[in-house]
Amino acid sequence: MTLPQWLPKRLLPWLAGGVLLLLVITLTPTMLRHETAVKIRVAHAGTPLPDGFYLYQQLTAQGIRIKSITPAGNALIIHFDSEEQGLAAQKVLRRLLPDGYVVAQMDSANRQEWLNAPGSARHSLS
């Protein structure tokens, strides 16, 4: 392979470094993005899960942006873009839902376990 005449060989390392730097700058925000999830589960057997669309409407009315809602067995997992959105949603959900529901923030270890659980399906709302 020959280089174009206008590109001297001595500029090749600088050009490769510049391309690599642009890739790092472009991909870093995606890699550093921290997703937060809140799990709503029923406290007593036989209690139905709350309606996901109703929760979406209530949280959106409070200015909380939902990334997705995932039903997983006897729970709903609501994903948010930021930890602040997740914490605000927990406060609203605890006030909104009756005592028969448990609202808790999911840590990353449990999140993968719940997403792989039988009967779980992810539905994106964005």
Side-chain angles (χ1 to χ4, degrees):
M1 185 171 122
T2 61
L3 294 174
Q5 284 184 340
W6 57 268
L7 182 65
K9 282 186 179 183
R10 62 183 168 85
L11 289 181
L12 210 54
W14 290 101
L15 183 62
V19 168
L20 184 59
L21 181 64
L22 284 173
L23 278 172
V24 168
I25 290 171
T26 305
L27 296 177
T28 299
T30 305
M31 293 170 30
L32 293 179
R33 195 167 89 199
H34 179 69
E35 183 180 279
T36 301
V38 172
K39 178 173 70 172
I40 302 170
R41 64 180 177 84
V42 294
H44 308 290
T47 306
L49 283 173
D51 180 38
F53 187 69
Y54 171 73
L55 296 178
Y56 173 79
Q57 287 178 321
Q58 295 300 313
L59 292 172
T60 302
Q62 296 290 322
I64 299 170
R65 187 176 180 281
I66 295 176
K67 189 173 181 180
S68 67
I69 296 180
T70 306
N74 66 341
L76 283 178
I77 301 172
I78 305 175
H79 298 268
F80 304 94
D81 283 327
S82 69
E83 189 172 348
E84 294 79 20
Q85 293 285 305
L87 293 173
Q90 283 183 56
K91 290 178 186 175
V92 171
L93 290 169
R94 286 187 180 129
R95 201 175 48 230
L96 184 67
L97 296 172
D99 290 335
Y101 297 97
V102 177
V103 178
Q105 186 165 352
M106 290 187 65
D107 59 4
S108 11
N110 290 340
R111 185 175 306 137
Q112 195 60 37
E113 176 184 319
W114 276 95
L115 289 177
N116 293 333
S120 67
R122 188 169 187 170
H123 302 285
S124 180
L125 294 174
S126 36

